[in-house]
Amino acid sequence: MGDENSAVKLDKQEFGDRVDKLLTAWKADKRAGNALFGDVGSIVILTGKTEENQHYQKNNAMHFWLLGYEFPTTLFVITQEVFYVVTTGKKAKHLEPLKGGKLAMEILVRSKDPDQNAKHFQRCLDAIKAAGEKVGLLAKDSALGPFAEEWRKAFGDVSKEVEEVDIAPALSTVFSVKDENELRSIRSAAKANSLLLVDYFIDEMSEILDAEKKVTHKALADKIDRKLDSNFFQENRLKLTKDFSVDQLDWCYGPVIQSGGNYDLRLNAVPDDGNLHAGTIIAGLGLRHKSYCAMLARTYLVDPNKSQESNYKLLLAVHEAVIAAARDGALVKDLWNKAIGIIRSKKPELEKNFLKSVGWGIGIETRDANNLINSKNTRSLQDGVTLCITTGFNDIQNPQPQDKTSKTYSLFLADTIRISGKPGEGSDGSPKVFTRDAPSDLEGTSFFFKDEEEDVKESPKAKTKKDSKVGAVASSNITKTKLRAERTTQIDEGAEARRRQHQKELALKKQQEGMERYSEATDGANGEVQKKFKRFESYKRDNQLPSRVKDLVIVVDQKAATVVLPIMGRPVPFHVNTIKNASHTDEGDFTYLRINFLSPGQGVGRKDDQPFEDPTAHFVRSLTFRSKDQARMQEVANQITELRKNMVKREQEKKEMEDVVEQEKLTEIRNRKPQKLENIFVRPAMDGKRIPGEVEIHQNGLRYRDHRGNNIDVLFSNVKHLFFQPCTHELIVIIHVHLKNPIMVGKKKTKDVQFYREATDMQFDETGNRKRKHRMHDEEEFEMEQEERRRRTQLDKEFKQFAERIQQADHEDTFGVDIPFRELGFQGVPNRSNVLMQPTTDCLVQLTEPPFTVISLDEIEIAHLERVQFGLKNFDLVFVFKDFSRPPAHVNTIPVELLEGVKDWLDSVNIPYSEGPVNLNWGMIMKTVTSDPHQFFQDGGWSFLAQDSSSESGSEEEEESAYEESGSDALGSEESSEDESEFDDDASADASADGSEDDESGEDWDELEKKAKKKDREGGLDEEEETGRKRKR
């Protein structure tokens, strides 16, 4: 603190609390045997002139702890009765408000008069002698300047009369337990350290190493230093604590950057002029916020070998063990013993490389020498103590050096922690790591800039395939023919019998599950939200009504979504949600405006189940107003109608967006280049435009970035299914992500995000159209086909490997890579288009054409086959979900020859199915089920579907057997009838002419043509009209 101290404001309450804390500890120690304070009667704290020193000593710390500022050239003499201060006049003005506390304060102001100053010192010396025979001093007194020398000379005259005791250990004990304000400042400093290291240093270091730039350690440290004077912390304000102030930020250690074989793990280390080396890099930072320090250090390994990774894992285990052992009541030396015990048990040869201590106390002082964590410190830890835990190995020999400077390396970690209370006192007892935002695990501190291997090993986390009896790839499903008539009857009968038996078992099991799932206590709710009366309010106060209501006219208030109607001389507001519709009619000179309101018992469509707060109350059904102003009435009716439409539209949009979740923030990989797949298109496309981009794998999700800078983030925690569909028999190769909760892509809500690349791209055609045209079916054409085949194989391999990398990146192992089984696929119409539906291990999917279809098998309650009857060429498949509130999923128009294959597949994945001859009204069925699920299953559940199919089964079997006996004939006649229907009249005539010889058999073709033309002219048809008529047929 200098002379310009007009902004200095001392906290009297905090000063009083700190002095009281000091006196309490002092008196308690006296009663306990004077182990800390040594039975001193007074304490002397001396500060000299201001020094440019990052590390505070005990005298500086005492000032900051008591006052929040440092007062240079000031003397404190503290007894248990009076607090004496000798200082200059300007500083004395700031100290005056502190008077009046529990401890009396006497301020002695220095002047230019030497005699007066000597009297002040003498007053203090008298107080020291009067307080007792012992005086507490700081043994390592580093105060400099004339003031300090003058005091030492004065104190020398009485030093023989009193015994000097080093008070530093006692002050360390008092300082060590922090209050909430102190802890908040240390937490802010720690957050700033983590932010600077993670969001700036790692990016800067990665860029330097990736571009192979020549940047010295000192230059890089200077760039970090300058961030305190930039807008860096303001731009990242949300990542810091609420009370953070960049003006209160300063360095207490470093920044220190070390690499290239030269390492100094001491606190006073400085960065050298060596260039940043891509090997082992140690970065250490220490920031001070509001006088309180926090330290952070990390070791980053660039392309490490196995030995380096193993040693780092050991260091990390030691570091985490020391932190875990730092609990309330633990002895400080136990932390050291814990660390050295792990090293001796796992790698005793590294004990000689280990640091001599594993940390120290931290707070106002960067390093409290009286609280070193080593084998000699027998102090016990307390709740509120803050420590800097430092572990490291110095100068380890590298058995596989990457270059000359990598023959030796060091490893170092540092974190700032706080000791928590004992378990059961609002804490689990584990310490709080303030610098946890900076990752220290091997994955977060390892960088790989060398080219990665192309081949990816088989994922150890790959999901194991299901049993063939229940898996989607049951071998019995793959039939060699699609036609039932062509299969061996005996095999079909045996398989059908087994399938029916299995289906009975599944149906019985499903019925039992339903009875257990829905009891009487459900009240028919099925877990879904019942419709409730929605309260709405137009105005809270009278003065909020529009000013035009004074004229007693109809006012449509768009802002409040309200229609104000004049009734009996008073304006009465009606919220638009109470209005059903409005209409106007003209009768003579008058125009009538009729406003209909919603009321119970109307029984009109969807409004039939409209909830009301009290359906038994009296309701106004409608109001009619008459006016001669036809234009005005028409305008009001239109305004009400438009307001009603807008309100319904807003409610629908709000309801549609209810299930859209805001994902957590994507954690980007900063220690290496993310794995990526380039030249990729995404569906749904952002802004509706098809623009290529790239997909990147980050720590907790995927990021798609197009060439315009737009991003789509998909977090692993939101991924439900991950599919890879090869380009075999397809035009594109696909990685498809099906989400648990929908997200917004541009302005679209979607639960499916698909990344694809076209397999047939013209840019690969190097021959051009000219050669294709003139050299068809030659060797070059054959080479092109081979190249196309090779390119498709390479595409499949690249996309499959990337999908497996996505699975490996998900540390929670919540999903695996699912691949559709094309051989089990069947044509159907799930939406509008006829597409190939393909089963996978866990789903039934259609990923080729939007809108995509993904049906999870474990969410299906039952399946029902509709329109299964003799004579129809297609049938429909309906899936009912376990969540009865979801509408059933339909796959329509499946060819009937695939019926047995679909049944086999459903049976193999343990989905009970039934079949019926007609389409059912599933809306009414599901409404019945959801109204009272318990009663539904009490009445037999889904057995009503099986009863319909069983009643049809007898006649169907007879018809089917008859069909099979004459299958070829029936098929032939059917094909014949189809073929005939495709010909026109002339073709039919020609066919009959060829088949029989009638009376026209003697005429030649010329005569027949003349007769035909004559007949056409008589009928008034020209050639063009005749052609048009034929086309219409």
Side-chain angles (χ1 to χ4, degrees), residues 548-580:
R548 290 185 59 199
V549 300
K550 297 177 181 179
D551 302 332
L552 291 179
V553 296
I554 300 176
V555 178
V556 179
D557 188 352
Q558 299 282 349
K559 186 176 180 181
T562 299
V563 180
V564 183
L565 303 177
I567 300 176
M568 300 181 68
R570 289 181 176 272
V572 181
F574 291 87
H575 196 277
V576 71
N577 284 338
T578 64
I579 298 175
K580 182 180 178 182

mmCIF file of all heavy atoms in Angstrom, residues 548-580:
data_model
loop_
_atom_site.group_PDB
_atom_site.id
_atom_site.type_symbol
_atom_site.label_atom_id
_atom_site.label_comp_id
_atom_site.label_asym_id
_atom_site.label_seq_id
_atom_site.Cartn_x
_atom_site.Cartn_y
_atom_site.Cartn_z
ATOM 1 N N ARG A 548 -59.169 2.272 -24.544
ATOM 2 C CA ARG A 548 -60.375 2.380 -25.389
ATOM 3 C C ARG A 548 -61.608 1.779 -24.727
ATOM 4 O O ARG A 548 -62.723 1.970 -25.214
ATOM 5 C CB ARG A 548 -60.143 1.687 -26.725
ATOM 6 C CG ARG A 548 -59.158 2.418 -27.637
ATOM 7 C CD ARG A 548 -59.081 1.734 -28.990
ATOM 8 N NE ARG A 548 -60.387 1.703 -29.633
ATOM 9 C CZ ARG A 548 -60.708 0.869 -30.633
ATOM 10 N NH1 ARG A 548 -59.814 -0.014 -31.051
ATOM 11 N NH2 ARG A 548 -61.915 0.906 -31.167
ATOM 12 N N VAL A 549 -61.442 1.025 -23.646
ATOM 13 C CA VAL A 549 -62.621 0.420 -23.013
ATOM 14 C C VAL A 549 -63.531 1.487 -22.415
ATOM 15 O O VAL A 549 -64.697 1.206 -22.114
ATOM 16 C CB VAL A 549 -62.195 -0.602 -21.925
ATOM 17 C CG1 VAL A 549 -61.353 -1.711 -22.526
ATOM 18 C CG2 VAL A 549 -61.438 0.093 -20.791
ATOM 19 N N LYS A 550 -63.007 2.697 -22.219
ATOM 20 C CA LYS A 550 -63.840 3.779 -21.690
ATOM 21 C C LYS A 550 -64.982 4.110 -22.634
ATOM 22 O O LYS A 550 -66.029 4.608 -22.218
ATOM 23 C CB LYS A 550 -63.002 5.023 -21.452
ATOM 24 C CG LYS A 550 -61.909 4.832 -20.390
ATOM 25 C CD LYS A 550 -61.059 6.085 -20.250
ATOM 26 C CE LYS A 550 -59.957 5.884 -19.204
ATOM 27 N NZ LYS A 550 -59.095 7.092 -19.082
ATOM 28 N N ASP A 551 -64.764 3.845 -23.939
ATOM 29 C CA ASP A 551 -65.797 4.143 -24.943
ATOM 30 C C ASP A 551 -66.865 3.067 -25.008
ATOM 31 O O ASP A 551 -67.805 3.176 -25.824
ATOM 32 C CB ASP A 551 -65.153 4.299 -26.317
ATOM 33 C CG ASP A 551 -64.104 5.400 -26.328
ATOM 34 O OD1 ASP A 551 -64.239 6.336 -25.520
ATOM 35 O OD2 ASP A 551 -63.140 5.308 -27.129
ATOM 36 N N LEU A 552 -66.710 2.007 -24.194
ATOM 37 C CA LEU A 552 -67.652 0.890 -24.177
ATOM 38 C C LEU A 552 -67.842 0.289 -25.568
ATOM 39 O O LEU A 552 -68.955 0.138 -26.086
ATOM 40 C CB LEU A 552 -68.998 1.328 -23.579
ATOM 41 C CG LEU A 552 -68.981 1.646 -22.076
ATOM 42 C CD1 LEU A 552 -70.365 2.085 -21.618
ATOM 43 C CD2 LEU A 552 -68.518 0.434 -21.281
ATOM 44 N N VAL A 553 -66.738 -0.010 -26.182
ATOM 45 C CA VAL A 553 -66.738 -0.699 -27.472
ATOM 46 C C VAL A 553 -66.014 -2.030 -27.290
ATOM 47 O O VAL A 553 -65.300 -2.259 -26.308
ATOM 48 C CB VAL A 553 -66.044 0.125 -28.564
ATOM 49 C CG1 VAL A 553 -66.804 1.404 -28.828
ATOM 50 C CG2 VAL A 553 -64.600 0.428 -28.180
ATOM 51 N N ILE A 554 -66.179 -2.917 -28.251
ATOM 52 C CA ILE A 554 -65.483 -4.210 -28.217
ATOM 53 C C ILE A 554 -64.018 -3.972 -28.561
ATOM 54 O O ILE A 554 -63.694 -3.403 -29.603
ATOM 55 C CB ILE A 554 -66.117 -5.206 -29.202
ATOM 56 C CG1 ILE A 554 -67.585 -5.447 -28.843
ATOM 57 C CG2 ILE A 554 -65.340 -6.519 -29.204
ATOM 58 C CD1 ILE A 554 -68.311 -6.347 -29.831
ATOM 59 N N VAL A 555 -63.137 -4.389 -27.674
ATOM 60 C CA VAL A 555 -61.702 -4.184 -27.866
ATOM 61 C C VAL A 555 -61.010 -5.553 -27.884
ATOM 62 O O VAL A 555 -61.195 -6.349 -26.959
ATOM 63 C CB VAL A 555 -61.092 -3.308 -26.748
ATOM 64 C CG1 VAL A 555 -59.587 -3.148 -26.952
ATOM 65 C CG2 VAL A 555 -61.781 -1.955 -26.715
ATOM 66 N N VAL A 556 -60.239 -5.819 -28.926
ATOM 67 C CA VAL A 556 -59.437 -7.051 -29.015
ATOM 68 C C VAL A 556 -58.004 -6.686 -28.642
ATOM 69 O O VAL A 556 -57.300 -6.021 -29.405
ATOM 70 C CB VAL A 556 -59.498 -7.658 -30.436
ATOM 71 C CG1 VAL A 556 -58.643 -8.931 -30.500
ATOM 72 C CG2 VAL A 556 -60.935 -7.962 -30.819
ATOM 73 N N ASP A 557 -57.599 -7.089 -27.442
ATOM 74 C CA ASP A 557 -56.264 -6.777 -26.926
ATOM 75 C C ASP A 557 -55.305 -7.916 -27.307
ATOM 76 O O ASP A 557 -55.300 -8.980 -26.679
ATOM 77 C CB ASP A 557 -56.325 -6.615 -25.404
ATOM 78 C CG ASP A 557 -55.005 -6.093 -24.821
ATOM 79 O OD1 ASP A 557 -54.019 -6.003 -25.579
ATOM 80 O OD2 ASP A 557 -54.972 -5.795 -23.613
ATOM 81 N N GLN A 558 -54.525 -7.687 -28.354
ATOM 82 C CA GLN A 558 -53.617 -8.731 -28.842
ATOM 83 C C GLN A 558 -52.535 -9.062 -27.815
ATOM 84 O O GLN A 558 -52.146 -10.221 -27.661
ATOM 85 C CB GLN A 558 -52.953 -8.264 -30.146
ATOM 86 C CG GLN A 558 -53.907 -7.974 -31.273
ATOM 87 C CD GLN A 558 -54.403 -9.243 -31.951
ATOM 88 O OE1 GLN A 558 -53.885 -10.316 -31.706
ATOM 89 N NE2 GLN A 558 -55.416 -9.102 -32.791
ATOM 90 N N LYS A 559 -52.084 -8.043 -27.094
ATOM 91 C CA LYS A 559 -50.995 -8.254 -26.149
ATOM 92 C C LYS A 559 -51.412 -9.153 -24.997
ATOM 93 O O LYS A 559 -50.671 -10.047 -24.576
ATOM 94 C CB LYS A 559 -50.514 -6.904 -25.614
ATOM 95 C CG LYS A 559 -49.294 -6.986 -24.735
ATOM 96 C CD LYS A 559 -48.821 -5.605 -24.311
ATOM 97 C CE LYS A 559 -47.589 -5.686 -23.415
ATOM 98 N NZ LYS A 559 -47.129 -4.328 -22.986
ATOM 99 N N ALA A 560 -52.617 -8.927 -24.470
ATOM 100 C CA ALA A 560 -53.099 -9.720 -23.342
ATOM 101 C C ALA A 560 -53.906 -10.928 -23.789
ATOM 102 O O ALA A 560 -54.402 -11.677 -22.947
ATOM 103 C CB ALA A 560 -53.944 -8.854 -22.418
ATOM 104 N N ALA A 561 -54.037 -11.144 -25.119
ATOM 105 C CA ALA A 561 -54.815 -12.255 -25.669
ATOM 106 C C ALA A 561 -56.219 -12.267 -25.073
ATOM 107 O O ALA A 561 -56.727 -13.282 -24.595
ATOM 108 C CB ALA A 561 -54.107 -13.590 -25.421
ATOM 109 N N THR A 562 -56.838 -11.102 -25.099
ATOM 110 C CA THR A 562 -58.119 -10.918 -24.415
ATOM 111 C C THR A 562 -59.070 -10.114 -25.292
ATOM 112 O O THR A 562 -58.630 -9.219 -26.039
ATOM 113 C CB THR A 562 -57.908 -10.189 -23.070
ATOM 114 O OG1 THR A 562 -57.066 -10.992 -22.244
ATOM 115 C CG2 THR A 562 -59.219 -9.937 -22.348
ATOM 116 N N VAL A 563 -60.355 -10.443 -25.187
ATOM 117 C CA VAL A 563 -61.406 -9.660 -25.840
ATOM 118 C C VAL A 563 -62.221 -8.982 -24.736
ATOM 119 O O VAL A 563 -62.773 -9.662 -23.857
ATOM 120 C CB VAL A 563 -62.309 -10.553 -26.710
ATOM 121 C CG1 VAL A 563 -63.392 -9.717 -27.370
ATOM 122 C CG2 VAL A 563 -61.486 -11.298 -27.758
ATOM 123 N N VAL A 564 -62.261 -7.652 -24.752
ATOM 124 C CA VAL A 564 -62.992 -6.890 -23.744
ATOM 125 C C VAL A 564 -64.356 -6.530 -24.329
ATOM 126 O O VAL A 564 -64.444 -5.824 -25.340
ATOM 127 C CB VAL A 564 -62.226 -5.616 -23.331
ATOM 128 C CG1 VAL A 564 -62.982 -4.898 -22.227
ATOM 129 C CG2 VAL A 564 -60.817 -5.968 -22.872
ATOM 130 N N LEU A 565 -65.424 -7.022 -23.686
ATOM 131 C CA LEU A 565 -66.783 -6.825 -24.192
ATOM 132 C C LEU A 565 -67.549 -5.892 -23.265
ATOM 133 O O LEU A 565 -67.473 -6.021 -22.031
ATOM 134 C CB LEU A 565 -67.508 -8.168 -24.270
ATOM 135 C CG LEU A 565 -66.837 -9.245 -25.129
ATOM 136 C CD1 LEU A 565 -67.631 -10.542 -25.042
ATOM 137 C CD2 LEU A 565 -66.733 -8.786 -26.574
ATOM 138 N N PRO A 566 -68.295 -4.942 -23.824
ATOM 139 C CA PRO A 566 -69.133 -4.060 -22.979
ATOM 140 C C PRO A 566 -70.423 -4.775 -22.591
ATOM 141 O O PRO A 566 -71.217 -5.170 -23.459
ATOM 142 C CB PRO A 566 -69.411 -2.866 -23.894
ATOM 143 C CG PRO A 566 -69.308 -3.420 -25.283
ATOM 144 C CD PRO A 566 -68.338 -4.566 -25.244
ATOM 145 N N ILE A 567 -70.627 -4.994 -21.299
ATOM 146 C CA ILE A 567 -71.820 -5.687 -20.815
ATOM 147 C C ILE A 567 -72.445 -4.837 -19.716
ATOM 148 O O ILE A 567 -71.808 -4.563 -18.686
ATOM 149 C CB ILE A 567 -71.477 -7.089 -20.273
ATOM 150 C CG1 ILE A 567 -70.849 -7.948 -21.380
ATOM 151 C CG2 ILE A 567 -72.709 -7.769 -19.696
ATOM 152 C CD1 ILE A 567 -70.397 -9.309 -20.903
ATOM 153 N N MET A 568 -73.646 -4.359 -19.994
ATOM 154 C CA MET A 568 -74.396 -3.556 -19.022
ATOM 155 C C MET A 568 -73.584 -2.363 -18.533
ATOM 156 O O MET A 568 -73.514 -2.053 -17.348
ATOM 157 C CB MET A 568 -74.850 -4.418 -17.824
ATOM 158 C CG MET A 568 -75.754 -5.573 -18.238
ATOM 159 S SD MET A 568 -76.307 -6.583 -16.841
ATOM 160 C CE MET A 568 -77.382 -5.405 -16.020
ATOM 161 N N GLY A 569 -72.929 -1.700 -19.465
ATOM 162 C CA GLY A 569 -72.209 -0.482 -19.152
ATOM 163 C C GLY A 569 -70.853 -0.684 -18.519
ATOM 164 O O GLY A 569 -70.245 0.286 -18.054
ATOM 165 N N ARG A 570 -70.376 -1.905 -18.490
ATOM 166 C CA ARG A 570 -69.056 -2.172 -17.906
ATOM 167 C C ARG A 570 -68.216 -3.000 -18.869
ATOM 168 O O ARG A 570 -68.739 -3.907 -19.527
ATOM 169 C CB ARG A 570 -69.186 -2.925 -16.573
ATOM 170 C CG ARG A 570 -69.744 -2.094 -15.446
ATOM 171 C CD ARG A 570 -69.812 -2.922 -14.162
ATOM 172 N NE ARG A 570 -70.266 -2.115 -13.036
ATOM 173 C CZ ARG A 570 -69.455 -1.399 -12.260
ATOM 174 N NH1 ARG A 570 -68.150 -1.386 -12.510
ATOM 175 N NH2 ARG A 570 -69.927 -0.685 -11.247
ATOM 176 N N PRO A 571 -66.902 -2.706 -18.955
ATOM 177 C CA PRO A 571 -66.029 -3.540 -19.792
ATOM 178 C C PRO A 571 -65.681 -4.839 -19.064
ATOM 179 O O PRO A 571 -65.183 -4.825 -17.940
ATOM 180 C CB PRO A 571 -64.781 -2.663 -19.991
ATOM 181 C CG PRO A 571 -64.754 -1.762 -18.810
ATOM 182 C CD PRO A 571 -66.185 -1.543 -18.391
ATOM 183 N N VAL A 572 -65.957 -5.968 -19.712
ATOM 184 C CA VAL A 572 -65.702 -7.286 -19.101
ATOM 185 C C VAL A 572 -64.688 -8.020 -19.986
ATOM 186 O O VAL A 572 -64.978 -8.278 -21.162
ATOM 187 C CB VAL A 572 -66.997 -8.107 -18.968
ATOM 188 C CG1 VAL A 572 -66.697 -9.456 -18.317
ATOM 189 C CG2 VAL A 572 -68.034 -7.335 -18.182
ATOM 190 N N PRO A 573 -63.532 -8.367 -19.442
ATOM 191 C CA PRO A 573 -62.528 -9.065 -20.254
ATOM 192 C C PRO A 573 -62.787 -10.566 -20.303
ATOM 193 O O PRO A 573 -63.139 -11.191 -19.307
ATOM 194 C CB PRO A 573 -61.211 -8.760 -19.523
ATOM 195 C CG PRO A 573 -61.598 -8.536 -18.108
ATOM 196 C CD PRO A 573 -62.997 -7.993 -18.110
ATOM 197 N N PHE A 574 -62.605 -11.156 -21.489
ATOM 198 C CA PHE A 574 -62.687 -12.599 -21.689
ATOM 199 C C PHE A 574 -61.390 -13.053 -22.358
ATOM 200 O O PHE A 574 -61.060 -12.570 -23.455
ATOM 201 C CB PHE A 574 -63.887 -12.972 -22.583
ATOM 202 C CG PHE A 574 -65.230 -12.748 -21.934
ATOM 203 C CD1 PHE A 574 -65.849 -11.505 -22.011
ATOM 204 C CD2 PHE A 574 -65.848 -13.776 -21.245
ATOM 205 C CE1 PHE A 574 -67.075 -11.297 -21.423
ATOM 206 C CE2 PHE A 574 -67.081 -13.558 -20.651
ATOM 207 C CZ PHE A 574 -67.700 -12.325 -20.735
ATOM 208 N N HIS A 575 -60.687 -13.957 -21.689
ATOM 209 C CA HIS A 575 -59.460 -14.479 -22.286
ATOM 210 C C HIS A 575 -59.810 -15.294 -23.527
ATOM 211 O O HIS A 575 -60.859 -15.944 -23.583
ATOM 212 C CB HIS A 575 -58.692 -15.347 -21.278
ATOM 213 C CG HIS A 575 -57.275 -15.594 -21.664
ATOM 214 N ND1 HIS A 575 -56.901 -16.592 -22.542
ATOM 215 C CD2 HIS A 575 -56.125 -14.965 -21.305
ATOM 216 C CE1 HIS A 575 -55.588 -16.567 -22.694
ATOM 217 N NE2 HIS A 575 -55.096 -15.584 -21.965
ATOM 218 N N VAL A 576 -58.954 -15.256 -24.523
ATOM 219 C CA VAL A 576 -59.249 -15.915 -25.793
ATOM 220 C C VAL A 576 -59.388 -17.424 -25.618
ATOM 221 O O VAL A 576 -60.044 -18.092 -26.421
ATOM 222 C CB VAL A 576 -58.156 -15.574 -26.837
ATOM 223 C CG1 VAL A 576 -56.842 -16.285 -26.495
ATOM 224 C CG2 VAL A 576 -58.591 -15.955 -28.251
ATOM 225 N N ASN A 577 -58.792 -17.992 -24.549
ATOM 226 C CA ASN A 577 -58.925 -19.430 -24.325
ATOM 227 C C ASN A 577 -60.327 -19.824 -23.903
ATOM 228 O O ASN A 577 -60.668 -21.009 -23.921
ATOM 229 C CB ASN A 577 -57.926 -19.894 -23.253
ATOM 230 C CG ASN A 577 -56.513 -19.987 -23.800
ATOM 231 O OD1 ASN A 577 -56.314 -20.100 -25.000
ATOM 232 N ND2 ASN A 577 -55.529 -19.946 -22.919
ATOM 233 N N THR A 578 -61.157 -18.846 -23.495
ATOM 234 C CA THR A 578 -62.552 -19.154 -23.138
ATOM 235 C C THR A 578 -63.470 -19.079 -24.344
ATOM 236 O O THR A 578 -64.626 -19.473 -24.251
ATOM 237 C CB THR A 578 -63.054 -18.178 -22.069
ATOM 238 O OG1 THR A 578 -63.067 -16.841 -22.618
ATOM 239 C CG2 THR A 578 -62.151 -18.204 -20.841
ATOM 240 N N ILE A 579 -62.960 -18.567 -25.470
ATOM 241 C CA ILE A 579 -63.789 -18.345 -26.657
ATOM 242 C C ILE A 579 -63.639 -19.513 -27.620
ATOM 243 O O ILE A 579 -62.524 -19.968 -27.906
ATOM 244 C CB ILE A 579 -63.390 -17.031 -27.346
ATOM 245 C CG1 ILE A 579 -63.638 -15.854 -26.399
ATOM 246 C CG2 ILE A 579 -64.149 -16.846 -28.646
ATOM 247 C CD1 ILE A 579 -63.166 -14.524 -26.938
ATOM 248 N N LYS A 580 -64.790 -20.011 -28.085
ATOM 249 C CA LYS A 580 -64.779 -21.099 -29.067
ATOM 250 C C LYS A 580 -64.644 -20.557 -30.481
ATOM 251 O O LYS A 580 -63.775 -20.972 -31.240
ATOM 252 C CB LYS A 580 -66.068 -21.908 -28.928
ATOM 253 C CG LYS A 580 -66.142 -23.096 -29.864
ATOM 254 C CD LYS A 580 -67.457 -23.835 -29.652
ATOM 255 C CE LYS A 580 -67.565 -24.999 -30.628
ATOM 256 N NZ LYS A 580 -68.867 -25.716 -30.472
#
